[in-house]
Amino acid sequence: MFSDKENVNVLTSLLVVYGVRHAVVCPGSRNAPIVHNLDACGDIRCYPVTDERSAGFYAMGLCQVLCEPVVVCITSGTALLNLCPAVAEAFYQHIPLVVVSADRPNRWINQLDGQTLPQAGTFGSFVRCSVSLPESCDEEEHWYCNRMLNEAMIACMQGSRGPVHINVPIAESLYTFNVKQLPKERKICFLSDLDIRPSSIQYIKPLQTALQTARRPLIVIGQAKPSAIAACTVDWLTSRKHVVLHEALSVGEREACLEETMHLVGGKENFLPDFILYVGDVLVSKRVKQFLRSAKHASCWIVNPEGCVHDTFKNLQGVVQARPNDILMSINSDGNEDWFNRWEAVRQKALEHRLDFQPDYSNMLAVKFLEERLAKDDTVPIVHYANSISVRLGCIYAWHHIYCNRGVNGIEGSLSTAGGYSLATNERVYCVIGDLSFFYDQNALWNQNLKSNLRILLLNNHGGEIFGKFEGLRQSSVRNKMVMAKHSATAEGICQENNIRYYSADDPVSLEKHMETLTSEHSDRPILLEVFTDCEEDLRVYKEYFNTL
């Protein structure tokens, strides 16, 4: 029988799955459920050592001989601090020492409760990964607990190896052992050519096998640098009947129509994949993430050069440490033609709608005019889109790779980033930005470095349109003033102060006229076109675009 603490049972199950066979255990009350489980599971041999200082080095010695992860388990309080010398030594010797510390519930930290101190992060830079498990485990927390433990065990064995710290808060009562069997836990496979001697493409055979046996595979590409994933790679994959979902932030010079495609797909189960290969970073589309998170039985693999665990869709089965384009080009099997045609029919419908839809005067029309003008030039443009509605409009109309501070940023820094980019090139650099983002970052124009190649399309509808999408927010008295941040500011004075040519538009005729100036006229200083629209009208046009698909 095992402990009734679910986080302890998840931990025990995954330690066994990862091949842990030895544990040095120290006496204590708080860690008794963990020690009991380690002994009861039958797969791990336990060695009792009373002195924690000595226990850490005992575990390290076992690691040196076995060349595999070994657990050292201690109770709460200062017991953990006694492991510091062994952990530091293990770090510099690249030894996979797994420190498992029992902890008091987080709510009692620094509340004058005995043997209670902040244990999470105790070892700082001397461990390769430090996690603190949730105490209770509903479905979401169970996934979180599983994911963190996988991250810790992968970090322990990754590359040259090293120690990790797993902190386990345990509330009383401590001594109930009534669970008949451990849960069956997901192990995230980790593949790297560093683990193969000599290096060979054979190291990704488990990934290739999973792809080849899938009937409904998807390849999903998140944000990437322009040179990371070539458009010809995606063309080659689609020629082999592989379904590839991407945005303008990931692959340039291809029609993406991802948000429109997902709107048409909706929640239809016959579009759910059984395999997902995810490369690149963040996706703008919430629809994609929500849809793929519903594919609970899909096998998902992620590829990145760092070998990081990013369980974006909550169904990750494997991590490949490699350059994404190399892995995509190594795919040597054809996709399912019926599955491909199902997705392609929807994508073509989305593309036709985008071409046919004629927006009324709005910020959508402004972005459409800009992208149509840029398409007339012979070169691929450099365009930075700010966050919120700007990048969403860019994802609709951009036919090239676009830049966006999509990693973690909100409204800050988009104009400054575009300005910095313009300093290192003689090509024109465009920045499409909403009013809140612009005025927040207006000091990007307050310096002596600006060059004439910087062109700014400012979409000013006097507030944060993105927040207008939420119908429930309309019931709040703070919606306009405090959430959408309604204002009456314009950029004209800012441009005068900073020697920037200023133009404005408030109807289709002036918009088209000044868009010509913004995109074609040579200038000895930066140019800004401020397009004034109505926030509610912008939102109506944006919704109409999707509602008429």
Side-chain angles (χ1 to χ4, degrees), residues 137-200:
C137 284
D138 58 21
E139 183 178 354
E140 184 88 357
E141 287 172 329
H142 192 129
W143 163 78
Y144 183 41
C145 182
N146 174 282
R147 194 203 78 201
M148 285 197 295
L149 286 167
N150 271 286
E151 288 176 0
M153 296 308 297
I154 286 173
C156 180
M157 299 299 292
Q158 189 177 10
S160 57
R161 305 185 176 188
V164 296
H165 177 203
I166 300 170
N167 191 58
V168 190
I170 304 174
E172 298 180 0
S173 62
L174 303 175
Y175 312 124
T176 302
F177 308 111
N178 58 5
V179 175
K180 293 182 178 180
Q181 61 184 23
L182 295 172
K184 185 177 181 180
E185 289 298 317
R186 168 190 64 159
K187 177 186 178 182
I188 298 176
C189 178
F190 178 79
L191 305 177
S192 171
D193 60 356
L194 296 177
D195 297 328
I196 302 295
R197 300 293 184 271
S199 180
S200 167

Side-chain angles (χ1 to χ4, degrees), residues 342-355:
R342 186 183 307 170
W343 278 91
E344 187 62 17
V346 176
R347 195 182 79 89
Q348 286 299 324
K349 182 178 179 181
L351 178 58
E352 290 171 7
H353 176 74
R354 196 201 72 180
L355 296 173

Side-chain angles (χ1 to χ4, degrees), residues 203 207 277-281 301-308 310 316 318-328:
Y203 80 97
L207 167 62
L277 176 58
Y278 184 19
V279 304
D281 294 318
W301 288 70
I302 191 167
V303 179
N304 56 67
E306 299 76 26
C308 292
H310 299 309
L316 189 63
V319 178
V320 180
Q321 185 175 17
R323 289 188 295 268
N325 203 68
D326 292 346
I327 298 302
L328 294 177

Side-chain angles (χ1 to χ4, degrees), residues 463-512:
E465 175 193 344
I466 193 73
F467 305 112
K469 296 196 307 177
F470 308 118
E471 290 299 323
L473 192 57
R474 292 181 181 273
Q475 310 303 316
S476 173
S477 60
V478 304
R479 175 183 183 260
N480 290 342
K481 186 176 180 180
M482 299 185 185
V483 179
M484 297 182 70
K486 289 284 189 177
H487 64 88
S488 58
T490 79
E492 184 172 8
I494 296 170
C495 291
Q496 291 175 351
E497 291 173 356
N498 295 288
N499 195 32
I500 295 169
R501 292 179 63 184
Y502 174 82
Y503 298 90
S504 67
D506 56 10
D507 58 54
V509 175
S510 59
L511 174 62
E512 190 166 13

Side-chain angles (χ1 to χ4, degrees), residues 510-522:
S510 59
L511 174 62
E512 190 166 13
K513 173 185 175 182
H514 295 312
M515 191 66 71
E516 182 82 16
T517 301
L518 183 73
T519 56
S520 65
E521 185 169 320
H522 293 287

Side-chain angles (χ1 to χ4, degrees), residues 283-294 312-313:
L283 288 159
V284 175
S285 175
K286 287 186 177 180
R287 282 190 176 97
V288 171
K289 288 179 281 190
Q290 291 170 348
F291 181 72
L292 295 182
R293 284 171 187 166
S294 69
T312 308
F313 307 133

